[in-house]
Amino acid sequence: MKFIGIIPARYASTRFPGKPLADMAGKPMIQRVYEQVQGVLDTVCVATDDSRIEAAVQSFGGNVVMTSEHHKSGTDRCYEAYCKIGNGYDVVVNIQGDEPFIQPEQIETLKACFTDDSIQIATLVKPFRPDDDFETTLFNANSPKVVLNKNSEAMYFSRSIIPYMRGKQYTEWLPNHTYYKHIGLYAYRATTLNEITHLPQSPLELAESLEQLRWLENGYKIKVGITQQETIGIDTPEDMEKALVFLKNQHTYK
């Protein structure tokens, strides 16, 4: 089975314009992401709609393909890129361009989901720690939560806290139940990627602004791998400041 990693990267971002090219200790963020995953996939490619990002990727020797500026999601951008370069690959891994601390082991966990031939889509979650601060983690709407069934398949994703723990104060929830944080990393069989990009937006997707709900509403199963490794998604310049502090403390980063 062959895996291709595609990193969608847009220049236009409401909260952080030019984010993929933001400097991280001498390297643009998109390069940090690329280098983190290239050793565990058969090939990696950046899919962008901006010539500045294209030039940056080419400058560090990465693969890049230009895609339409009209895509509504990273999944749609991935599919266009796959159609241009993906012949011969069985599974497409959609890697968030703002996750420069994604670990190779997390990619391996995602790949392992496809040892089961019935798996169409896979993603990752990380358990919240019992001692996490409730207000800044579980109550954070920018950090979607996931509930799983006994087969480690996603039952629902939400920006709200799920499940609700009846009869306990909010501060008691984390120590008394395992809550899962969604790690925004997806993998799809190539045939499934083709199918889901032709689905219309669904009511739950529109309500929560989470495209994976479209897949669930249409009957697709999403296998979930569990990771214990933390990632730092960068949505704002303030997030970048925190990420740079984290980077400075990581001796494995160059």
Side-chain angles (χ1 to χ4, degrees), residues 15-198:
R15 290 182 290 180
F16 195 167
K19 181 169 60 173
L21 302 183
D23 180 73
M24 295 191 72
K27 295 180 180 181
M29 181 169 66
I30 194 67
Q31 183 177 354
R32 294 277 178 191
V33 177
Y34 193 102
E35 291 176 349
Q36 282 297 104
V37 301
Q38 67 179 137
V40 290
L41 293 162
D42 294 293
T43 194
V44 178
C45 182
V46 174
T48 188
D49 61 356
D50 191 275
S51 59
R52 290 163 289 190
I53 296 174
E54 179 187 36
V57 176
Q58 290 172 338
S59 72
F60 65 77
N63 300 315
V64 61
V65 62
M66 290 295 290
T67 54
S68 170
E69 62 183 16
H70 301 297
H71 291 307
K72 294 182 179 180
S73 72
T75 304
D76 293 335
R77 194 173 304 282
C78 275
Y79 181 61
E80 182 187 351
Y82 172 79
C83 288
K84 290 183 174 179
I85 62 169
N87 288 336
Y89 294 97
D90 304 289
V91 175
V92 180
V93 183
N94 179 349
I95 300 155
Q96 300 298 312
D98 57 4
E99 291 272 2
F101 302 108
I102 197 76
Q103 294 297 308
E105 293 84 358
Q106 293 175 309
I107 301 292
E108 294 287 10
T109 298
L110 199 64
K111 289 167 61 178
C113 293
F114 291 90
T115 56
D116 181 339
D117 291 340
S118 71
I119 299 305
Q120 302 164 299
I121 305 172
T123 192
L124 292 183
V125 299
K126 179 184 180 297
F128 287 101
R129 297 191 309 270
D131 61 348
D132 276 337
D133 177 70
F134 177 87
E135 291 291 342
T136 60
T137 57
L138 202 59
F139 206 63
N140 181 2
N142 292 321
S143 180
K145 275 64 68 175
V146 193
V147 289
L148 314 180
N149 66 18
K150 65 179 182 180
N151 298 318
S152 293
E153 296 166 344
M155 296 174 65
Y156 193 70
F157 298 79
S158 183
R159 296 184 184 278
S160 296
I161 305 168
I162 50 174
Y164 179 89
M165 186 166 283
R166 185 178 179 184
K168 291 187 181 294
Q169 296 294 321
Y170 288 158
T171 52
E172 299 178 273
W173 287 14
L174 281 171
N176 287 281
H177 183 81
T178 301
Y179 286 83
Y180 292 101
K181 167 186 177 181
H182 184 220
I183 305 296
L185 182 69
Y186 299 104
Y188 336 81
R189 291 193 189 275
T191 52
T192 301
L193 179 58
N194 174 28
E195 293 168 3
I196 63 177
T197 53
H198 289 88

Side-chain angles (χ1 to χ4, degrees), residues 197-231:
T197 53
H198 289 88
L199 296 172
Q201 287 189 295
S202 67
L204 290 175
E205 175 191 8
L206 292 169
E208 296 245 26
S209 191
L210 296 172
E211 65 172 324
Q212 61 269 38
L213 294 177
R214 183 194 319 180
W215 314 333
L216 289 180
E217 282 191 84
N218 281 276
Y220 288 88
K221 292 182 179 180
I222 303 177
K223 184 71 174 181
V224 176
I226 298 175
T227 177
Q228 299 297 330
Q229 295 167 307
E230 189 59 85
T231 61

